Amino acid sequence: MSGILYLVPTPIGNLGDISVRCRETLENADFIAAEDTRVTLKLLNHLGIKKSLVSYYEHNKAFKGDKIVERILAGETCALVSDAGSPAISDPGEDLVKQCAAAGIPVCAIPGPCAAITALSISGQSTGRFCFEGFLSTAKKSRREHLNSLKKEQRTMIFYEAPHKLLATLADLRDAFGEDRPISLCRELTKLHEEVVRTTLGQAVERYTEMPPKGEFVLVVAGAPREEPESPTEEDAAQCVARLMADGLSRKDAVKEAARKLGLSKNEVYEIALKIPE
């Protein structure tokens, strides 16, 4: 009988945010797969837990993923953790989950800290509909294509960024979405110096040009404003009535149907229809 893979979220800053269930899962797992074993060891020492650790990160995931799956299939329980937050979100753990799913291994996600949701909730931006875009590519072409695909996105957008790349990313966001687009920059979440800067993309570029950024950032960008549909013209109404009459409708019925389709008053369409010969 195979074991199970647990996805265990870890604090994004404040160590007090780890839950009782997360702690118990780490204690009871046969081994822990960690993005950086040094970071995880500090957490385990803080919790007073001694456990076998294996490294699992971007550059060894192909090899280590197979080994981890083999151990779980043999009956062991694995707890997967990232350096901070929920594993498998913008994280190589995504691939391990796919491998386990393909092998028929049960995967259990434990709720817990997530920087994207934490930032969104305090951003002051719309939270009803949003999309998570993670880290932008460092390749200029891929980054440009990614941002171009989001120009008409009306949902709130969430990005992650490191401090040394922040200014370049803000400049690219400004160029793609316009300098007046609102943004909330959330820094050092749950830590002593937590900060939320609510501004525009243009002002954000100015701010961090003068003030070198520090700490990891979550960028919450307002979606594009909703485009109002253009009102139908007299020509649109005339063409609609003419098509309907050509299909066999009487002028009266064509006017009624055209008014319904175009959202215009019947009197307005009737005046236009009078110019159309039977």
Side-chain angles (χ1 to χ4, degrees):
M1 181 175 179
S2 71
I4 187 171
L5 174 69
Y6 285 99
L7 307 182
V8 182
T10 55
I12 57 177
N14 191 320
L15 293 178
D17 289 337
I18 194 157
S19 71
V20 172
R21 187 180 176 202
C22 287
R23 179 173 188 156
E24 290 176 348
T25 303
L26 293 174
E27 288 178 331
N28 295 329
D30 292 305
F31 68 102
I32 297 172
E35 183 178 5
D36 187 329
T37 55
R38 296 166 298 181
V39 172
T40 302
L41 185 59
K42 291 179 181 178
L43 175 64
L44 295 180
N45 288 339
H46 171 76
L47 298 174
I49 297 173
K50 292 184 178 180
K51 191 65 58 174
S52 171
L53 290 170
V54 298
S55 65
Y56 178 83
Y57 57 94
E58 185 64 33
H59 300 297
N60 76 352
K61 64 183 182 182
F63 170 72
K64 285 295 183 72
D66 290 340
K67 297 296 182 182
I68 292 171
V69 168
E70 286 178 9
R71 291 182 65 174
I72 299 175
L73 287 173
E76 293 187 79
T77 295
C78 173
L80 175 68
V81 299
S82 64
D83 288 348
S86 298
I89 304 299
S90 197
D91 172 85
E94 172 187 0
D95 294 296
L96 183 57
V97 172
K98 289 178 181 178
Q99 282 185 268
C100 287
I105 294 171
V107 179
C108 177
I110 300 176
C114 176
I117 299 302
T118 301
L120 177 65
S121 65
I122 61 174
S123 67
Q125 306 290 355
S126 175
T127 63
R129 297 180 69 223
F130 60 91
C131 55
F132 175 66
E133 299 297 326
F135 289 96
L136 288 171
S137 172
T138 55
K140 289 184 178 180
K141 182 180 178 182
S142 297
R143 174 181 285 231
R144 184 169 59 251
E145 290 175 348
H146 187 168
L147 292 178
N148 283 341
S149 73
L150 294 173
K151 282 189 174 181
K152 294 185 178 181
E153 177 58 67
Q154 294 180 354
R155 294 172 295 179
T156 300
M157 297 170 283
I158 305 172
F159 300 87
Y160 285 164
E161 195 49 278
H164 64 284
K165 298 177 183 176
L166 179 69
L167 189 56
T169 293
L170 289 174
D172 287 342
L173 291 171
R174 176 200 60 194
D175 294 344
F177 305 141
E179 63 179 19
D180 295 328
R181 182 72 68 88
I183 180 175
S184 300
L185 300 100
C186 305
R187 182 180 77 88
E188 296 291 272
L189 291 171
T190 76
K191 299 178 183 178
L192 180 63
H193 300 293
E194 176 177 294
E195 179 184 43
V196 181
V197 176
R198 301 177 181 91
T199 183
T200 64
L201 286 171
Q203 292 170 346
V205 171
E206 293 178 6
R207 176 187 178 93
Y208 291 104
T209 297
E210 300 172 359
M211 180 192 307
K214 296 180 180 179
E216 299 298 317
F217 282 79
V218 182
L219 311 177
V220 186
V221 183
R226 186 178 299 277
E227 295 181 357
E228 294 297 331
E230 294 184 5
S231 300
T233 64
E234 283 194 13
E235 183 180 352
D236 294 331
Q239 290 177 353
C240 186
V241 172
R243 284 196 300 271
L244 292 168
M245 290 174 64
D247 289 340
L249 269 66
S250 67
R251 189 193 303 271
K252 179 181 178 181
D253 289 341
V255 167
K256 183 179 180 181
E257 180 63 14
R260 186 190 67 79
K261 284 186 174 183
L262 301 176
L264 299 173
S265 72
K266 286 190 287 186
N267 289 340
E268 186 177 358
V269 177
Y270 182 73
E271 291 296 326
I272 297 169
L274 288 176
K275 303 172 185 178
I276 303 172
E278 290 281 3

